[in-house]
Amino acid sequence: MSDDTLTIGGRAFGSRLFVGTGKYKDVEETRLALRASGASVVTVAVRRVDLTQTGKGSMFGMLRAEGFTLLPNTAGCYTADDAVRCARLGREAAETDLVKLEVIGDPKTLFPDTEALVAAARVLVKEGFFVLPYTNDDPIVARKLVEVGCPAVMPLGAPIGSGLGIRNPHNLRILMETVSVPVIVDAGVGTASDAAVAMELGAHGVLMNTAIALARNPVQMATAMRLGVEAGRLAYLAGRMAPRLYANASSPLTGSIATSSAPLSIE
Amino acid sequence: MTEPTAQIAIVVNGEPREVPAGLTVAALLGHLGVAGLAAVERNRELVPRARQSAVVVEPGDALEIVHLVGGG
């Protein structure tokens, strides 16, 4: 696995698991879970400073001290214009050109407004951003995002925070065959097997937040997710056997001490 | 006796505020007690950190002062 480094747009990333930093109990729990996940890239949100309560912000200090690569998002933006403004502020605050671009179309599903997403991506790529777009599992939209210059695409496995797992593996497979850039499955993972499934499908990475943060034991789940991503990646590289409907004995068919022959087989 | 400082009306993070006239963006951050790596937008345009000490806040300006928080 030594040369199986994830590379996006010519940049190497230390882990195929990307994790969010929201919904944890406190900064210390966040730190322990992020460490256990083995992630190198962590997402952060851009929000107004609470002017009645300045002097906080140890989360940012912790992330910096731990050496994580910050990936500011544009969560909560419903128009291309707001997402572009948010991305610019995130670049300034995090001192990075990375952006997890989200343009949300609906508050209940948090599904992306893909038309606005492509428009915002086009603007931000021109401004030199390294745009990682949160999108749906539509291969055509993914292709458009690549055409405007996104170095990777991040289709959802299921709605954000739902934990429903990989709801449409077939679409994800078609999407991965449609684009030649890395595909990071972003959102929907609920437990470690979901992460493994995404990786077995051929995803280059997985991004998650809630599945770790809302586990009963987030640190333990972060470890499980790290192993799930690794297991799925290895299984993908190893190449699974072809599934078959009927049994195929693992023990030799000859030399058995059984005295009676097998009953008539199902034909 | 010191001259009372002239105040101007601006909007910060969606809330109307009176602040001393003539402050630069950097000075405004200090005035509001904002420490650390805040990013600032003035009238929907980013004010790069390198320009925060040069840009002066004008009456009627709408400013967004943001920072990074936990999120997915």
Side-chain angles (χ1 to χ4, degrees):
Chain A
M1 289 292 282
S2 58
D3 59 349
D4 187 41
T5 304
L6 171 63
T7 307
I8 303 175
R11 300 186 196 186
F13 291 84
S15 169
R16 292 179 181 275
L17 175 56
F18 294 47
V19 295
T21 57
K23 298 183 183 172
Y24 286 95
K25 196 173 68 197
D26 52 35
V27 173
E28 181 59 9
E29 185 185 74
T30 316
R31 188 179 72 81
L32 293 172
L34 299 190
R35 264 197 181 178
S37 76
S40 63
V41 176
V42 302
T43 60
V44 286
V46 175
R47 287 293 178 270
R48 286 170 166 171
V49 171
D50 181 355
L51 295 170
T52 63
Q53 228 186 338
T54 52
K56 285 204 317 178
S58 51
M59 169 73 86
F60 178 74
M62 180 277 285
L63 297 176
R64 270 287 157 87
E66 293 282 320
F68 291 113
T69 298
L70 300 183
L71 174 58
N73 68 28
T74 61
C77 292
Y78 284 84
T79 64
D81 188 46
D82 281 350
V84 167
R85 289 171 54 218
C86 191
R88 290 171 182 154
L89 286 163
R91 173 159 70 176
E92 193 70 11
E95 298 177 317
T96 180
D97 59 353
L98 301 176
V99 61
K100 174 183 164 180
L101 181 62
E102 300 182 35
V103 186
I104 302 300
D106 167 66
K108 189 168 183 179
T109 60
L110 298 178
F111 284 144
D113 178 337
T114 52
E115 192 181 348
L117 179 71
V118 173
R122 184 181 286 116
V123 171
L124 292 170
V125 166
K126 279 188 186 145
E127 294 185 13
F129 281 88
F130 192 89
V131 180
L132 303 176
Y134 156 72
T135 183
N136 59 18
D137 57 16
D138 181 340
I140 309 307
V141 174
R143 193 171 65 199
K144 290 181 182 179
L145 290 164
V146 174
E147 279 167 4
V148 301
C150 295
V153 290
M154 305 206 296
L156 52 82
I160 293 171
S162 70
L164 287 171
I166 310 303
R167 300 324 300 157
N168 199 335
H170 308 294
N171 259 46
L172 287 176
R173 280 185 58 188
I174 295 170
L175 188 154
M176 287 185 253
E177 286 183 13
T178 304
V179 298
S180 52
V181 299
V183 172
I184 313 289
V185 171
D186 177 5
V189 164
T191 186
S193 54
D194 297 333
V197 165
M199 296 305 292
E200 285 174 5
L201 286 170
H204 299 77
V206 179
L207 195 163
M208 64 181 74
N209 188 151
T210 310
I212 297 175
L214 293 195
R216 193 173 63 238
N217 184 331
V219 179
Q220 218 165 32
M221 185 57 88
T223 306
M225 290 301 186
R226 173 172 61 77
L227 296 171
V229 167
E230 274 178 30
R233 177 63 181 172
L234 280 170
Y236 171 73
L237 293 174
R240 62 154 298 149
M241 63 165 280
R244 46 193 299 163
L245 187 57
Y246 289 108
N248 186 277
S250 300
S251 304
L253 298 177
T254 55
S256 167
I257 59 150
T259 50
S260 48
S261 55
L264 281 179
S265 181
I266 301 165
E267 285 296 345
Chain B
M1 215 174 90
T2 47
E3 192 95 345
T5 318
Q7 299 276 307
I8 58 168
I10 61 171
V11 175
V12 181
N13 289 352
E15 300 282 334
R17 267 179 186 265
E18 298 267 318
V19 298
L23 294 180
T24 63
V25 168
L28 177 72
L29 292 179
H31 176 78
L32 296 172
V34 177
L37 288 172
V40 180
E41 184 188 65
R42 175 175 171 250
N43 302 328
R44 301 172 76 86
E45 294 272 342
L46 180 80
V47 182
R49 195 163 291 124
R51 300 256 308 136
Q52 287 179 1
S53 299
V55 175
V56 174
V57 179
E58 304 284 349
D61 275 0
L63 292 122
E64 292 290 348
I65 303 173
V66 303
H67 62 165
L68 301 175
V69 301

